Amino acid sequence: MHVWPGSPYPLGATFDGTGTNFALYSNVAERVELCLFDADRAETRVELTEVDAKVWHCYLPQVEAGQRYGYRVYGPYDPARGLRCNPAKLLLDPYAKATEGTIDWGQSLFSYTFGDEHSVNDDDSAPHMMLGVVTNPFFDWTGDRTLNVPYNESLIYEAHVKGLTQLHPDVPEAMRGTYAGLIHPAVIAHFKRLGVTAVELMPVHQFVHDSVLVERGLRNYWGYNTIGFFAPNAEYASSREAGTQVQEFKAMVRGLHAAGIEVILDVVYNHTAEGNHLGPTLSMKGIDNPSYYRLVDETPHYYMDYTGTGNSLNVGNPHSLQLIMDSLRYWVTEMHVDGFRFDLASALAREFYDVNRLSAFFELVQQDPVVSQVKLIAEPWDVGPGGYQVGNFPPQWTEWNGKFRDAVRDFWLGQPNLGEFAARCAGSADLYEQSGRRPFASINFVTAHDGFTLSDLVSYNEKHNEPNGENNNDGESHNRSWNHGVEGPTKDPAVLSARARSQRNLLATLLLSQGVPMLAHGDEAGRSQQGLNNGYAQDSPLTWFDWSAIDEPLLEFTATLAKLRADHPTFRRKRFFTGHRTDDGLDDIVWLHVSGRPMTDADWSSGAALGMYLNGSAIAGVNAIGQPITDDDFLLYSNGGSEPVDAVLPGPEFGAAWDVVIDTAADDRLREALQSGSTVRIEARSTLVLTEHVEAPTRPNLSAAASVAAITGQTADEPAPGTSPG
């Protein structure tokens, strides 16, 4: 095979239409072989002799897209010094843009012999490894453009590529559970009905099914076990042809963009599938272990583990940082995604055991002209010291607000805390305002993939994770859930009614609070996991969206709330409330006691119900064309207690009369307008949303006579000159 020297940049395998450049960074390698595989896995080795700045590279003029490959790295194997090179282990390119095959677990994937971690195992792992695939970078985007939906106008829908469509009856069977399935018209219609502006996909970076799960007959469903940061997961492609998952992913992004929906990826840059010192040698561990992973300083045989998964990426090393940043830029520039949600983001910033807001990772993101311009969402906790870091991320970041989740659950499921609940509904200014951020820095959620579904949150007191095979020891035990008197399924109408109301209360608070709401897929339709609150290993109907069991009234309720939010900027404010008086003499927000007066300091320490007045004439800021933002006024009453409350509507200075928009405790019948100062019953554990009453406009006269009248100056009911009324 004819070998050209090639270039050290870009890293990875880059097809230019004629041939392919290969480049691999390793500071510890003494020799590197590029291993090419045909369709039958016959191996051809090419030694890389060109080395620039520790990057080993070559150009193969006849290698095209679809070529399967891996690496063998020769160098020191001395785990006590953190060095783990072993050429018997075929290694996946960290920059591979596509993969083929799966991990076939066995002894050969480990550099030691089972039972003796200090031994050396030289079994060839190639027959049992997934391979990298050279991809075709050319794609017709046909006018695809960045949507740049403002945060305050966003509604995020957390979805699993497979779980969302695997059981959808309208999606063709070959497309179910795939990237292609996500843009089927029936799925797009569902998104549009809910007013979804962004789909946040659970991990699609190529991941590995853990050996312990495979041994139990389970799979890594969630995907938080990444091995390829550039490669879309091959199992989610409808085509099984090598490398075509890249094209299908791009087509999915293009299709969602055409529907006005952004794509946000849940990314796992804090750790990889190679685990701890007893884990397999699949990629970076064998390429350059100390550069890519954070090792224990005094004993580099072991890994620093801030994630609970065995390892943490070494973000203090420039080459590891380069890998992360190159990957992020690739997904934005080449795959056209609109943002990222960083799993355990705190782990990426850990320097000297602290989350340092000036860490190298945050500095790079801040300065990067590509990554800094997309949506950046942090999951602000990990298992390290001071692991919960909500509110501590830099200004350009938004964060999953776990305090919102906890406060809203507590309020509606039996432990009302008026002050905490109000702070979260108003945008969590205590967390974000001091860093110059806005209310939309708070990504509000009540449920997510990790934990109970919304339906299960109101149906179970205890987790039921027995299907995971861990004796129900996995998952969170403190769920802030409430079964309403019966654990699990029931036919008791009273229990079912209470559960249905609770779901509506939780959804109403989520969608009408300041910040960015995030729905977990299926919560809008009553999806249940039968009490399972840790579905990470359940790639089965237990975790898939069952489209045949949709709670249609709940779905319509959710859609109604989403439309209410979309139609009214008062629920989507770009700035925090000030509490200052406006021209109409009223504050932009007023917290109301059920007696009709503003809340006093003493009122916050007791009770389970409160009202919130939102002044639509006091929305700070201007719209996109510089005009003031005005809206209707709203009253929101929340009663988290077990008894009904008779609330007095505020005086006429707030509004002369009010119409009911949402009442989670009532049927859907229309009511007469409620007058200021009148008393309205807020049922136990219910939400009441009112808007200022406006008389219906007079129906316009659309007749021909009206046009004539406008021309002649006569009234429309007078006959025109020279005509007969008959």
Side-chain angles (χ1 to χ4, degrees):
M1 179 176 295
H2 194 52
V3 181
W4 295 0
S7 170
Y9 187 84
L11 292 165
T14 307
F15 175 61
D16 60 12
T18 303
T20 303
N21 192 86
F22 295 88
L24 179 77
Y25 169 80
S26 177
N27 186 49
V28 300
E30 298 169 354
R31 179 185 165 202
V32 174
E33 290 176 339
L34 169 65
C35 305
L36 305 178
F37 294 85
D38 63 19
D40 298 322
R41 282 201 170 230
E43 180 181 356
T44 301
R45 301 188 186 184
V46 178
E47 185 168 357
L48 304 186
T49 57
E50 297 291 328
V51 188
D52 291 285
K54 306 298 183 179
V55 176
W56 303 70
H57 56 90
C58 76
Y59 181 90
L60 301 181
Q62 297 178 337
V63 168
E64 300 180 347
Q67 175 65 60
R68 304 158 180 86
Y69 74 103
Y71 289 101
R72 297 183 188 271
V73 174
Y74 297 76
Y77 183 80
D78 188 356
R81 295 193 294 136
L83 303 172
R84 297 180 177 269
C85 298
N86 185 341
K89 312 306 171 186
L90 185 74
L91 305 172
L92 184 69
D93 181 3
Y95 280 73
K97 297 181 179 65
T99 66
E100 182 185 66
T102 58
I103 299 292
D104 180 20
W105 290 108
Q107 174 65 81
S108 68
L109 297 168
F110 297 79
S111 288
Y112 65 93
T113 301
F114 295 154
D116 183 5
E117 66 174 278
H118 300 293
S119 61
V120 180
N121 181 277
D122 291 327
D123 295 344
D124 186 3
S125 68
H128 309 281
M129 262 296 293
M130 68 172 54
L131 304 176
V133 179
V134 178
T135 61
N136 184 349
F138 308 108
F139 182 77
D140 183 6
W141 284 101
T142 57
D144 183 71
R145 61 181 180 85
T146 303
L147 298 176
N148 286 324
V149 178
Y151 269 116
N152 69 303
E153 297 177 11
S154 297
L155 194 164
I156 298 174
Y157 189 83
E158 187 194 37
H160 189 283
V161 172
K162 183 176 182 179
L164 181 62
T165 64
Q166 186 66 28
L167 298 178
H168 201 302
D170 296 332
V171 176
E173 189 170 350
M175 295 171 59
R176 294 176 188 171
T178 70
Y179 304 121
L182 279 179
I183 54 172
H184 186 276
V187 180
I188 294 292
H190 185 75
F191 293 153
K192 301 296 284 185
R193 181 181 181 184
L194 291 173
V196 170
T197 68
V199 175
E200 182 181 299
L201 296 178
M202 291 182 65
V204 299
H205 287 176
Q206 185 64 54
F207 60 84
V208 171
H209 297 286
D210 317 54
S211 60
V212 292
L213 295 180
V214 174
E215 290 168 1
R216 282 189 247 147
L218 302 172
R219 290 161 55 84
N220 188 322
Y221 175 63
W222 284 353
Y224 293 98
N225 203 28
T226 304
I227 195 62
F229 294 119
F230 292 77
N233 186 46
E235 293 184 31
Y236 298 157
S238 58
S239 171
R240 292 292 174 250
E241 186 176 344
T244 55
Q245 62 264 43
V246 176
Q247 308 297 314
E248 186 171 328
F249 184 94
K250 291 178 177 179
M252 177 199 73
V253 174
R254 183 181 62 193
L256 288 169
H257 282 178
I261 300 169
E262 297 183 313
V263 179
I264 298 172
L265 300 188
D266 189 341
V267 291
V268 192
Y269 289 105
N270 48 67
H271 66 275
T272 77
E274 292 189 286
N276 61 13
H277 62 288
L278 297 177
T281 300
L282 307 175
S283 181
M284 291 177 280
K285 181 181 287 188
I287 294 170
D288 190 341
N289 191 55
S291 289
Y292 286 114
Y293 292 111
R294 243 187 115 179
L295 309 178
V296 178
D297 292 337
E298 300 79 13
T299 52
H301 179 81
Y302 302 103
Y303 294 78
M304 294 295 293
D305 182 12
Y306 292 123
T307 65
T309 61
N311 64 53
S312 301
L313 276 188
N314 185 10
V315 292
N317 182 283
H319 296 281
S320 183
L321 270 176
Q322 182 186 7
L323 171 73
I324 295 172
M325 297 306 297
D326 283 350
S327 171
L328 292 170
R329 281 190 292 270
Y330 172 79
W331 286 98
V332 175
T333 59
E334 297 297 323
M335 308 294 267
H336 287 206
V337 305
D338 304 280
F340 306 96
R341 178 264 187 187
F342 291 80
D343 177 65
L344 303 180
S346 304
L348 291 170
R350 288 206 173 270
E351 296 179 352
F352 309 107
Y353 301 95
D354 294 314
V355 174
N356 183 349
R357 289 177 49 176
L358 299 177
S359 73
F361 173 68
F362 288 146
E363 287 180 337
L364 282 177
V365 169
Q366 178 74 40
Q367 299 170 25
D368 192 275
V370 174
V371 180
S372 65
Q373 300 306 303
V374 301
K375 289 182 168 66
L376 302 171
I377 305 172
E379 182 190 24
W381 53 87
D382 61 28
V383 298
Y388 195 57
Q389 297 292 329
V390 66
N392 289 336
F393 281 76
Q396 72 192 115
W397 288 71
T398 62
E399 303 173 25
W400 270 24
N401 190 348
K403 290 190 175 184
F404 178 95
R405 171 200 60 197
D406 294 347
V408 172
R409 287 188 181 190
D410 284 346
F411 186 89
W412 289 118
L413 301 176
Q415 296 180 330
N417 181 331
L418 294 183
E420 180 74 5
F421 179 75
R424 302 303 152 227
C425 291
S428 296
D430 58 321
L431 299 177
Y432 305 113
E433 192 172 25
Q434 77 279 0
S435 60
R437 287 186 280 179
R438 302 286 179 84
F440 50 72
S442 180
I443 306 298
N444 298 332
F445 68 104
V446 175
T447 59
H449 67 272
D450 190 1
F452 281 138
T453 68
L454 184 66
S455 175
D456 288 353
L457 186 70
V458 302
S459 303
Y460 293 88
N461 284 353
E462 308 295 334
K463 62 182 181 181
H464 297 270
N465 294 343
E466 290 82 3
N468 290 342
E470 300 179 41
N471 297 316
N472 205 31
N473 291 321
D474 61 304
E476 177 60 61
S477 297
H478 182 51
N479 294 287
R480 294 178 161 90
S481 62
W482 181 29
N483 65 16
H484 292 83
V486 178
E487 187 76 354
T490 182
K491 294 184 178 180
D492 187 323
V495 174
L496 292 174
S497 177
R499 290 176 177 178
R501 185 185 301 183
S502 287
Q503 290 179 76
R504 284 162 170 75
N505 289 330
L506 291 160
L507 286 167
T509 303
L510 171 66
L511 288 164
L512 301 182
S513 292
Q514 304 301 316
V516 181
M518 184 188 78
L519 276 172
H521 85 224
D523 278 356
E524 73 277 16
R527 186 177 75 88
S528 172
Q529 293 180 168
Q530 301 175 26
L532 181 87
N533 77 351
N534 190 27
Y536 80 104
Q538 298 300 320
D539 188 0
S540 71
L542 185 61
T543 53
W544 301 339
F545 192 146
D546 185 358
W547 293 86
S548 68
I550 284 179
D551 183 342
E552 179 62 30
L554 181 63
L555 175 57
E556 186 58 32
F557 177 82
T558 309
T560 300
L561 284 172
K563 186 175 187 308
L564 183 66
R565 175 185 177 83
D567 290 346
H568 293 281
T570 197
F571 300 115
R572 309 182 271 104
R573 300 180 184 228
K574 292 187 288 185
R575 298 184 183 179
F576 288 108
F577 295 106
T578 64
H580 297 158
R581 294 288 170 110
T582 59
D583 293 341
D584 61 6
L586 294 172
D587 296 350
D588 53 0
I589 184 172
V590 180
W591 296 103
L592 296 168
H593 190 267
V594 293
S595 64
R597 57 172 174 78
M599 295 274 283
T600 66
D601 289 346
D603 295 330
W604 292 101
S605 59
S606 62
L610 80 165
M612 177 172 58
Y613 167 75
L614 296 177
N615 189 341
S617 301
I619 301 175
V622 295
N623 64 18
I625 57 174
Q627 296 176 328
I629 304 170
T630 59
D631 192 19
D632 302 327
D633 297 344
F634 283 87
L635 284 174
L636 286 79
Y637 286 94
S638 303
N639 180 13
S642 57
E643 299 295 332
V645 172
D646 290 326
V648 178
L649 297 182
E653 67 273 20
F654 289 85
W658 299 88
D659 292 323
V660 176
V661 180
I662 298 288
D663 187 351
T664 62
D667 58 30
D668 202 29
R669 289 175 293 184
L670 296 176
R671 297 189 192 177
E672 296 292 327
L674 303 172
Q675 302 302 308
S676 66
S678 63
T679 299
V680 60
R681 170 147 294 194
I682 315 296
E683 296 293 344
R685 299 190 175 93
S686 71
T687 302
L688 182 65
V689 181
L690 310 171
T691 188
E692 187 175 8
H693 177 73
V694 178
E695 295 293 338
T698 304
R699 183 176 179 272
N701 190 338
L702 309 180
S703 67
S707 293
V708 174
I711 297 170
T712 62
Q714 297 178 317
T715 59
D717 56 354
E718 294 178 350
T723 65
S724 170

